[in-house]
């Protein structure tokens, strides 16, 4: 009878929610349903909810109305095929889903509406597949360009990551499924990620590494948090009481489910007593709280031995039940219907890709290429034809199709245009003539380091030169790949340096020195690469991994169907040695002390006055924009309204991203030169058209974390508002005065 009542109340609440345009149960109704269910459970049943029942599931408990297992799946850009109960194999390897661009691409769109669509595609595809929890998004900060998973995250800046993850999470959860923000926290490298001990001062932690997690919890209502593998000050992140209880639950008010990264649980009672969440791992390795394979209950034993209180187990189970209730899984409330592999989803994948591509250079206006004027095109670089969607470890997917750049080019240009595709040969110094060596050195190639390159390639370079000089366009497709060979990008390991494969830089420098017609460089990588020849490349497009529509997205930008509007979400250093982690010696595989503190990314390059290859926020267009009328209005209570007029002053339609940075002329404590606090992307502006964009800042946007008070503080005084189109292209300034000092604990 009681169950029927709960169900009825939940159904009524859901109907009301649907009327209000919200799909999820409200907190009160969800907590009520969760508590009612908890009250009916035995200790053993509660313990069932403190660990997985298999690699990607949590137990069904039909006796109390949980009729099915809760099902999870990776990742942030697709719904990965379902895993077997006890191992890492796929239950149905053939199941297919849309693969969207990676999160570093999404961040480069600086478009919150696309972030929402990205989330909605994932939510709809999960529902259609019967998946309840998505193991994404990842919001770790790109602290070093070497991090093997930067492509899975939202860049180097906490404000950008926070503002992009919120609509994405809301989009996912609008389908009555749960999103999981990961990896909480300080998992900013893959090198020894399961053992490394990280040390970060509290101010940097709260200002740089936590804001995206906080926004996910506070502004998006994310339902799940995945802890990271690393240790923090000697304690595993998964059992760190300060973070799990002090920050996540007490400060941010998180009510949902915390789970370990797979295999990140190290104890039974210690974890339970320190705010640890549920244990996830490969099914047969889940052993600490509840051992599904052996059918044992170590957590129940710990309660019986007086080592863990039953109230603690109740709390852990309640968090899981709350998430189950919120999504309608527990109560049987109607959940939004999904769909997958639709044309609409594929178009969204393509659009996100197009909007993410960054035009880094276009000195001679080579781009866009005029398709009608091409009879012969040379494409150099095997990555132009290398599929990526099925790679990336937990971020991999299985797609109905994948369009590579080469395939898109062929489709676009048709049979009448000759397309020659060649790999980038590795330049062999031993075989090169004096003139060639000089030309390569002038273009920035590494001519001294490549003695070991395979001599056979040198012959190839001559062949390629002959083709290039008779082609109407030469497209060099470079970058990195996903995977474990050589210096690729991947989970579980970092890149060993920022360079391309040995000899590749020298070959690209050689190609750039030939003066071939319409030479275009396309770099496809999820993290900055330290190319040595960029000064010699007049035209460069930078792309991240763009999923199944990658080739179409890039081709549409190359031919001007789409005017590029992406902006870098990471600073591109000229060389690794310029980065904060390199200069402070704060990157290793054992004890990492974040000594560069909050000077991460552009904050470091500004602080040390280092010229990057391409600055954070940079991205050109096929048109030009004027930014004028920068206006700042401050309201009592510290709300600052910033507006600016953007006018398209060029010849084609395009979009611009206005970036709002704050600097601190009156700072009472050490502060960065400037910090991003908001941004707005214009609509598609026709030539001559303008739009007034606005960004609202509030007290949090001026604050620093005061370690002694353990509070955020906004001091009274003058603040400068910088409005730009990149972190190094500030177009207008205004200042505002904040009248009184404010402290607030909950950021
Ligand atoms: C990764 C997580 C992923 C999990 C489950 C771990 O190795 O770090 O990001 O969600 O596996 O596949």
């Amino acid at each position: 009878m009681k169950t029927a009542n709960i169900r009825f109340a939940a159904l009524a609440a859901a109907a009301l929610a649907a009327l209000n345009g919200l799909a999820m149960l409200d907190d009160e109704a969800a907590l009520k349903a969760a508590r009612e269910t908890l009250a009916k459970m035995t200790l053993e049943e509660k313990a069932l909810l403190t660990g997985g029942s298999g690699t990607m599931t949590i137990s069904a408990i039909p006796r109390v109305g949980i009729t099915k297992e809760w099902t999870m799946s990776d990742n942030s850009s697709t719904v990965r095929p379902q895993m077997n109960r006890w191992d890492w194999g796929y239950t149905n390897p053939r199941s297919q889903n849309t693969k969207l661009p990676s999160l570093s691409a999404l961040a480069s769109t600086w478009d919150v509406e696309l972030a929402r669509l990205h989330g909605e595609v994932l939510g709809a595809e999960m529902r259609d597949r019967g998946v309840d929890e998505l193991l994404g998004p990842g919001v770790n900060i790109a602290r070093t360009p070497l991090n093997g998973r930067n492509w899975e995250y939202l860049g180097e800046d906490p404000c950008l990551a926070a503002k992009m993850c919120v609509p994405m999470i809301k989009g996912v959860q609008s389908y009555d499924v749960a999103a999981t923000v990961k990896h909480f926290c300080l998992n900013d490298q893959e090198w020894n990620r399961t053992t490394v001990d990280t040390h970060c001062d509290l101010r940097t932690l709260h200002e740089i590494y936590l804001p995206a997690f906080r926004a996910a919890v506070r502004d998006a209502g994310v339902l799940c948090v995945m802890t990271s593998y690393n240790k923090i000050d000697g304690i595993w992140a998964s059992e760190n009481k300060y973070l799990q209880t002090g920050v996540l639950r007490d400060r941010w008010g998180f009510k949902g489910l915390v789970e370990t990264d797979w295999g990140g649980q190290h104890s039974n009672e210690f974890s339970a007593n320190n705010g640890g969440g549920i244990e996830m791992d490969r099914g047969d390795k889940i052993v600490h709280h509840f051992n599904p394979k052996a059918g044992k209950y170590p957590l129940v034993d710990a309660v019986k031995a007086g080592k863990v209180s039953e109230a603690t187990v109740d709390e852990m189970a309640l968090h899981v039940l709350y998430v189950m209730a919120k999504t309608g899984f527990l109560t049987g409330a109607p959940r939004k219907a999904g769909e997958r592999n639709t044309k609409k989803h594929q178009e969204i994948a393509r659009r996100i890709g197009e909007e993410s591509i960054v035009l880094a250079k276009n000195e001679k206006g080579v781009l866009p290429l005029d398709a009608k004027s091409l009879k012969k095109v040379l494409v150099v670089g095997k990555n132009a034809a290398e599929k990526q969607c099925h790679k990336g470890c937990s971020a991999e997917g299985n797609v109905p199709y994948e369009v590579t750049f080469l395939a898109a080019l062929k489709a676009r240009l048709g049979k009448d245009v000759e397309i020659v595709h060649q790999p980038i040969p590795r330049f062999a110094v031993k075989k090169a003539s004096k003139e060639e060596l000089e030309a390569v050195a002038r273009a920035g190639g590494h001519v001294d380091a490549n003695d070991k390159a395979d001599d056979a390639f040198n012959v190839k370079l001559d062949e390629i030169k002959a083709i290039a000089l008779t082609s109407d366009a030469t497209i060099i497709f470079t970058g990195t790949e996903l995977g474990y060979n050589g210096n690729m990008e991947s989970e579980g390991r970092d890149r060993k340096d920022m360079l391309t494969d040995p000899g590749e830089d020298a070959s690209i420098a050689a190609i750039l020195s030939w003066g071939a017609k319409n030479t275009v460089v396309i770099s496809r990588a999820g993290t900055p690469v330290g190319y040595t020849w960029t000064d010699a490349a007049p035209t460069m497009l930078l792309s991240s991994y763009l999923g199944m529509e990658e080739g179409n997205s890039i081709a549409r930008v190359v031919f001007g169907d789409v005017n590029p509007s992406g902006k870098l979400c990471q600073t591109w250093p000229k060389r690794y040695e310029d980065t904060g982690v390199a200069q402070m010696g704060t990157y290793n595989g054992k004890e990492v002390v974040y000594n560069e503190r909050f000077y991460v990314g552009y904050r470091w390059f500004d602080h040390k006055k280092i010229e990057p290859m391409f600055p954070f926020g940079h991205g050109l267009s096929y048109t030009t924009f004027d930014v004028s009328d920068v206006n700042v209005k401050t309201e009592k209570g510290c709300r600052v309204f910033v507006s600016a007029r953007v006018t398209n002053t060029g010849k084609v339609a395009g979009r611009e991203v206005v970036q709002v940075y704050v600097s601190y002329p009156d700072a009472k404590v050490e502060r960065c030169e400037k910090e991003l606090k908001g941004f707005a992307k214009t609509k598609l502006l026709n030539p001559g058209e303008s739009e007034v964009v606005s960004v609202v800042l509030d007290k949090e946007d001026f604050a620093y974390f005061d370690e002694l008070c353990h509070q955020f503080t906004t001091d009274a005084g003058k603040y400068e508002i910088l409005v730009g189109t990149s972190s190094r292209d500030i177009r207008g300034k205004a200042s505002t005065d904040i009248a009184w000092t404010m402290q607030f604990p909950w950021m």
Side-chain angles (χ1 to χ4, degrees), residues 47 205 256 543 554-555 569 634 745:
L205 176 73
S543 165
I554 300 178
C569 65
T634 309

Side-chain angles (χ1 to χ4, degrees), residues 56 74 80 149 182-183 193 226 229 261-262 491:
M56 289 284 162
D74 280 300
R80 190 186 187 192
R149 289 184 96 173
K182 67 187 187 183
H183 309 85
R193 64 176 176 162
M226 187 192 297
Y229 284 124
D261 198 343
W262 270 233
E491 184 177 326

Side-chain angles (χ1 to χ4, degrees), residues 380-593:
V380 201
K382 75 173 175 44
N383 278 351
E386 205 80 37
K387 296 188 172 170
Q388 302 295 306
C389 286
H390 60 292
K391 299 185 197 166
C393 200
S394 67
E396 71 189 19
N398 190 35
V399 285
Y401 68 85
E402 178 176 350
V403 183
T404 65
F405 176 66
L406 192 68
L409 198 68
K410 286 184 176 159
R412 169 73 196 225
L413 294 178
K415 288 202 182 68
D416 294 341
V417 179
E418 185 189 355
I419 299 175
V420 186
H421 183 216
Q422 294 284 329
I424 300 176
R426 280 178 287 153
F427 191 82
V429 174
K430 275 192 275 177
K431 287 281 180 95
S433 68
K434 190 165 162 282
E435 292 72 38
E436 275 172 331
L437 282 172
E438 280 168 4
V440 169
R442 267 199 309 279
H446 277 133
V447 287
D448 50 356
N450 300 306
D451 267 335
K452 288 195 204 85
D454 187 341
D455 286 355
F457 283 115
N458 220 34
V459 178
K460 201 82 188 150
L461 201 59
D462 287 342
E463 263 175 46
I464 292 175
K465 184 172 182 177
I467 304 165
L469 296 182
T470 56
S471 291
D472 302 308
T474 291
I475 301 176
I476 303 167
F477 199 104
T478 181
T480 59
E481 269 184 88
L482 298 176
Y484 290 99
N485 295 330
N487 209 2
M488 292 176 178
E489 293 177 74
S490 194
E491 184 177 326
R493 59 175 231 175
D494 285 345
R495 300 195 73 219
K496 65 178 171 25
D497 54 42
M498 269 185 70
L499 299 171
T500 54
D501 286 340
E504 188 169 312
D505 262 337
S507 288
I508 294 175
I511 299 171
L512 290 170
S513 76
W514 299 335
K517 243 196 267 170
N518 293 324
T519 302
V520 176
V521 180
I522 300 171
S523 156
R524 198 269 323 274
T527 195
V529 183
Y531 300 125
T532 55
W533 36 258
T534 45
D535 286 346
T539 311
M540 273 183 90
L541 280 181
L542 308 180
S543 165
S544 184
Y545 301 97
L546 302 188
M548 62 198 287
E549 282 282 331
E550 176 172 291
N552 287 333
S553 300
I554 300 178
R556 279 166 59 82
V557 168
V558 165
F559 292 107
D561 307 332
V562 172
N563 187 353
S565 62
K567 300 277 181 176
L568 293 176
C569 65
Q570 292 179 64
T571 305
W572 276 56
K574 285 190 176 149
R575 56 191 84 80
Y576 176 65
E577 292 69 29
D578 289 347
T579 63
V581 285
Q583 292 200 2
M584 299 301 291
T586 54
Y587 171 66
N588 62 65
K590 215 170 168 208
E591 291 275 333
V592 177
V593 185

